[in-house]
Amino acid sequence: MWGGRFSGSMNEHMARFNNSFPFDRRMWAEDIRGSMAWARQLAAAKIITGAELNALLAGLEAVRAEFAESRFAALPSDEDIHTAVERRLGELAGAVAGKLHTGRSRNDQVATDVRLWALGAIARADAAIRDLQAALLQQAEAVGNALMPGYTHMQRAQPILLAHWLLAHFWPLERDRARLADCAARTAVLPLGAGALAGTPLHVDRAALAAELGMRAPTPNSLDAVSDRDFVAEFLFCAAMIGTHLSRLAEDMIIYSTSEFGFVMLDDAYSTGSSLMPQKKNPDSFELLRGKSGRLIGHLMGVLTMLKGLPAAYDKDLQEDKEPLFDAADTLELALPVAAGAIATARFNTTRMRAALDDAMLATDIADYLVERGMPFREAHKVSGVLVREAEQRNTTLSGLPFDAFRAASALFEEDVLDVFSPERSVSARSVPGATAPTAVQAQIAQAHAALA
Ligand code: ARG
């Protein structure tokens, strides 16, 4: 391929070190698609004849079929997907194959291939996230107005709707999809025509080329075009963020599925047993979802570190962009359907959740009661805290305290303070948009449907 200048052949270790074919062969469809579009531009610019174009297209189609039917025979000398396709094209189409690379470099070619591949991965990730969102939303609707303890610092805090907790995991995924869409807009820019670094001397129509390949526009600077892997880093950030969201959902599900909580039971299809302890049912689905976030974050760090010291140009370091990109996309494609299935089939024990609500979780509502009667919140907070401590000392619950105790803490208390000890009343009071009242959660569910529509 670049033999003219060389007399010696490559060291065997160096060859294995240098060859990217074992992993970049995955981009065969993108590589051939880009080459077909390039061939058409060569014909339009009168670099090749119509007959030569047809020969190139037929040859590329034949190579495509070999890959699609898993019968492409690679040679050890195939350095990467680009050289492999061109080598095979030469065998099938003859000398005309030597004209395909006119005005093109592997530098603009590989940048184009990776962008096309990343766009496919973004579309697949988007669809898989939607399925998980749909599972969360469907559960949120199925559980109605069931209550659960809401936690902060993993301490019982205030009652909330179970649907509210489910939807708290829906919206981060909505932001992930928005981030992916944003990333797609910056990925859908065409490097082809940038050549090695200075731009092609051929009068090709780059705008038409971009449109043919589903890109928004050609890159504005050829040197930037062959250097830019921002879109890879951006995709990896999106993947790392999705992984972090899945990990947080998983952590909640793992804790809630313990015997100590007993809030949720995972379906057998998403659990494993123990080879030693017959009673065990382990939440491996969610543990792996939590664990996989580590590799996703690692890929982002790896690519940023690889990019950091590079001069503005193509450098072989950039070949290291692909494996993290592929693995991140593969990890999402494995993880998201598991998350969706495990959520869709989980059974929530709303009785256990209701029973886990205690009076102390309504201490804020006691303070709110006093505020409604004119007390400054800071003071009301203190009064309510004194009552909580008193209940603790008397070994009873807040509502178990005699009315005298309330009266002693503040003259603002009336007999109706006992009405406060209703978690239903507590959640219903929180009816502003985005809060946990059943009316607000209904509106939230409608918003979630609109987001998925
Ligand atoms: N395999 C290379 C990569 O993945 C393709 C580009 C090679 N370009 C070059 N000038 N050596 O980055």
Side-chain angles (χ1 to χ4, degrees):
M1 176 185 35
W2 25 252
R5 194 220 176 282
F6 282 68
S7 54
S9 59
M10 197 183 271
N11 169 276
E12 161 205 344
H13 294 290
M14 173 57 193
R16 261 195 291 146
F17 194 51
N18 186 52
N19 285 12
S20 54
F21 186 76
F23 53 86
D24 69 15
R25 61 171 299 151
R26 297 183 65 153
M27 304 193 302
W28 59 266
E30 290 76 16
D31 193 74
I32 291 169
R33 202 176 145 206
S35 285
M36 286 179 159
W38 185 248
R40 287 191 193 97
Q41 280 304 315
L42 290 180
K46 309 251 183 288
I47 307 296
I48 57 174
T49 66
E52 286 174 324
L53 171 63
N54 288 338
L56 285 177
L57 293 178
L60 285 166
E61 181 51 39
V63 180
R64 203 192 60 72
E66 289 187 355
F67 274 105
E69 291 155 22
S70 302
R71 52 184 174 81
F72 182 87
L75 298 181
S77 55
D78 290 336
E79 186 182 312
D80 54 27
I81 182 62
H82 327 292
T83 51
V85 168
E86 204 181 318
R87 189 262 307 159
R88 186 66 185 136
L89 180 65
E91 290 165 6
L92 294 170
V96 67
K99 294 199 173 183
L100 176 62
H101 212 52
T102 314
R104 186 176 73 168
S105 157
R106 276 188 298 156
N107 297 354
D108 55 351
Q109 189 180 359
V110 70
T112 301
D113 290 6
V114 179
R115 282 175 185 271
L116 288 172
W117 196 92
L119 286 170
I122 288 171
R124 292 191 297 276
D126 179 78
I129 296 171
R130 277 180 61 101
D131 289 346
L132 171 55
Q133 287 181 291
L136 288 162
L137 179 53
Q138 178 232 314
Q139 285 281 18
E141 293 191 279
V143 297
N145 291 341
L147 296 176
M148 72 180 286
Y151 298 84
T152 69
H153 312 262
M154 275 314 285
Q155 306 291 318
R156 286 180 183 171
Q158 291 183 318
I160 56 173
L161 256 56
L162 169 56
H164 198 57
W165 171 80
L166 284 158
L167 292 172
H169 290 288
F170 175 99
W171 297 109
L173 298 167
E174 187 60 19
R175 295 193 292 277
D176 287 329
R177 291 205 299 130
R179 262 186 288 273
L180 282 172
D182 224 44
C183 174
R186 275 184 293 276
T187 302
V189 179
L190 181 79
L192 216 52
L197 75 162
T200 183
L202 308 181
H203 291 285
V204 290
D205 181 347
R206 293 191 70 215
L209 202 50
E212 178 173 351
L213 291 172
M215 304 290 207
R216 290 190 301 118
T219 50
N221 179 303
S222 60
L223 188 54
D224 176 40
V226 294
S227 320
D228 178 12
R229 295 295 184 279
D230 295 9
F231 65 98
V232 175
E234 278 191 56
F235 177 79
L236 293 177
F237 174 75
C238 294
M241 197 71 246
I242 295 163
T244 305
H245 289 148
L246 293 180
S247 182
R248 186 172 55 183
L249 169 64
E251 175 61 13
D252 276 0
M253 288 295 284
I254 290 164
I255 288 205
Y256 292 167
S257 71
T258 58
S259 313
E260 283 72 14
F261 275 81
F263 286 179
V264 66
M265 174 89 109
L266 303 193
D267 194 86
D268 285 358
Y270 295 94
S271 314
T272 63
S274 159
S275 54
L276 191 137
M277 299 162 282
Q279 87 285 8
K280 290 290 291 291
K281 182 166 166 181
N282 296 328
D284 290 32
S285 49
F286 287 109
E287 287 171 338
L288 280 169
L289 286 164
R290 188 176 57 187
K292 296 278 185 194
S293 59
R295 70 199 278 162
L296 293 171
I297 293 166
H299 289 326
L300 172 62
M301 293 306 128
V303 164
L304 285 175
T305 308
M306 178 273 285
L307 290 174
K308 183 198 158 293
L310 299 188
Y314 176 83
D315 306 278
K316 199 57 170 272
D317 315 51
L318 293 173
Q319 181 163 286
E320 290 294 307
D321 62 351
K322 287 170 217 47
E323 286 162 293
L325 170 66
F326 296 160
D327 186 73
D330 290 345
T331 301
L332 291 181
E333 272 175 74
L334 266 177
L336 286 162
V338 170
I343 289 293
T345 56
R347 282 189 312 283
F348 292 96
N349 187 335
T350 52
T351 315
R352 278 287 292 247
M353 289 182 170
R354 184 71 175 71
L357 297 170
D358 63 41
D359 282 353
M361 298 186 69
L362 299 169
T364 313
D365 298 71
I366 294 292
D368 293 342
Y369 173 97
L370 294 170
V371 166
E372 268 171 51
R373 282 150 188 81
M375 189 181 281
F377 179 75
R378 285 292 161 221
E379 199 182 321
H381 182 281
K382 198 175 296 168
V383 170
S384 179
V386 163
L387 288 167
V388 169
R389 196 178 56 210
E390 190 153 347
E392 232 167 59
Q393 278 162 0
R394 297 197 197 192
N395 206 10
T396 182
T397 61
L398 257 187
S399 61
L401 283 174
F403 181 65
D404 286 355
F406 284 92
R407 250 304 155 70
S410 166
L412 291 176
F413 283 119
E414 307 282 345
E415 295 280 354
D416 66 356
V417 68
L418 289 179
D419 297 346
V420 171
F421 294 106
S422 152
E424 281 79 9
R425 187 182 165 282
S426 171
V427 296
S428 294
R430 291 167 170 81
S431 62
V432 296
T436 197
T439 50
V441 170
Q442 271 315 313
Q444 199 186 151
I445 285 173
Q447 260 182 297
H449 275 294
L452 289 187

